[in-house]
Amino acid sequence: MARNVSDEIKWLLEPGHEAFEQRPATFREFIGPEYLNIEKYLRKRILHELEVILGDQIDVNRIARYSEALITGGIGIGKTTIASVLLPYMVHWVLCLKDPQDYFGLLPGSRIAFMQMSTSEQQAKEVVFGDLKARIEHSPWFRNQYPYDKSFKNQLRFPQKDIWILPGDSRETTFEGYNILGGVLDEGDSHLVTAKRDYAEQGYTTISSRITSRFQNRGFLLIIGQRKSSNGFMERMYRKFLARPDAYAV
């Protein structure tokens, strides 16, 4: 259903909405024909989990209902699909702001980044990044209102408001210099673990701390992957998230 112009104007004029130049879509609107146009392809449980994380209404103060979420399970349950919807939604929400940098208290021209981290840079480019790029390429809203710069093959950059989506691996240097507002950590139990370092833990800590240090509780980080060990990264984070009111785990 197309938006009613008068309703949109009314929403923008309501107190607390001054920072927006257009109303962000609700989750249900975002998977509909004006945005990603994928609702009929999503299983009911996937729809449910996405709505739990994002909420069923627009929150003008933060992107998602939770600060962090973890989804674990076997091959084919839809973990990558969920990530490929959540990350474009976060970018959409930020692009709806008049001036994202001013809204978040950043210097003019500062890049706002969304990071997708996997076990290697190649894996990052081929799995979740490939899916979320496909979501954005086939979205009427992104295509018509905020097309990305196609001169960059392995990143998605929205030059209109200095918003970037970056794939990377779990090396700490991958995240240096970026104002990370949101991200996806993929294949949590498949990252390298040595006697000195758990690379998934390091990547999570780095991304999470960058989100909170720059954006407080307004960003969002998703962890996905199979649980391959009873004491591995995914199991440890699953238990931690269950005990946190600002996190979600399923």
Side-chain angles (χ1 to χ4, degrees):
M1 182 185 297
R3 290 185 172 191
N4 182 288
V5 174
S6 62
D7 288 344
E8 296 300 299
I9 294 173
K10 182 180 177 181
W11 187 91
L12 291 170
L13 293 175
E14 289 178 4
H17 300 173
E18 299 86 355
F20 291 86
E21 68 179 11
Q22 64 175 286
R23 177 178 67 83
T26 63
F27 157 66
R28 288 285 177 172
E29 288 173 331
F30 190 67
I31 59 174
E34 291 186 58
Y35 296 91
L36 297 189
N37 195 23
I38 58 171
E39 183 172 9
K40 66 181 180 180
Y41 302 106
L42 299 177
R43 299 195 300 272
K44 288 183 179 179
R45 184 59 188 272
I46 299 299
L47 290 169
H48 169 76
E49 297 303 340
L50 283 164
E51 196 159 50
V52 167
I53 294 169
L54 291 173
D56 58 1
Q57 301 294 324
I58 303 160
D59 188 334
V60 298
N61 297 308
R62 57 188 301 168
I63 291 173
R65 180 181 289 173
Y66 297 94
S67 297
E68 299 179 339
L70 180 147
I71 297 176
T72 186
I75 295 171
I77 66 163
K79 301 182 293 294
T80 300
T81 299
I82 288 174
S84 76
V85 174
L86 280 169
L87 211 153
Y89 182 82
M90 291 190 274
V91 174
H92 159 75
W93 192 98
V94 176
L95 286 170
C96 285
L97 292 164
K98 293 176 183 175
D99 185 338
Q101 285 71 21
D102 180 68
Y103 176 83
F104 289 113
L106 301 174
L107 292 173
S110 299
R111 294 164 298 190
I112 296 175
F114 293 88
M115 179 66 67
Q116 183 257 309
M117 180 189 121
S118 195
T119 52
S120 68
E121 189 173 358
Q122 188 64 28
Q123 178 80 359
K125 292 172 183 175
E126 291 179 352
V127 184
V128 175
F129 183 76
D131 278 15
L132 70 89
K133 185 177 182 181
R135 299 291 86 76
I136 288 172
E137 284 182 336
H138 292 90
S139 162
W141 187 85
F142 281 102
R143 193 166 58 244
N144 296 328
Q145 296 199 36
Y146 288 100
Y148 65 88
D149 185 345
K150 293 191 176 182
S151 63
F152 295 92
K153 301 302 182 184
N154 297 317
Q155 302 175 358
L156 295 179
R157 297 188 184 186
F158 301 88
Q160 307 91 337
K161 295 185 178 178
D162 286 318
I163 310 299
W164 294 12
I165 301 176
L166 306 167
D169 59 24
S170 49
R171 293 174 301 165
E172 190 168 2
T173 54
T174 301
F175 317 109
E176 288 181 354
Y178 294 111
N179 300 302
I180 302 175
L181 178 58
V184 174
L185 193 161
D186 187 22
E187 294 296 344
D189 271 359
S190 297
H191 291 260
L192 181 65
V193 179
T194 68
K196 294 183 178 181
R197 183 176 299 173
D198 182 324
Y199 281 77
E201 189 88 48
Q202 173 183 288
Y204 163 76
T205 300
T206 303
I207 296 175
S208 180
S209 63
R210 284 183 178 273
I211 292 173
T212 55
S213 66
R214 290 161 172 77
F215 303 101
Q216 293 76 52
N217 67 343
R218 293 185 287 181
F220 177 76
L221 175 59
L222 174 69
I223 302 173
I224 58 174
Q226 292 178 267
R227 282 184 290 180
K228 298 181 178 180
S229 168
S230 60
N231 62 352
F233 172 76
M234 292 297 292
E235 179 64 23
R236 297 195 306 272
M237 299 308 296
Y238 178 77
R239 292 175 181 174
K240 286 180 180 179
F241 279 22
L242 286 178
R244 283 176 45 190
D246 67 329
Y248 178 70
V250 64

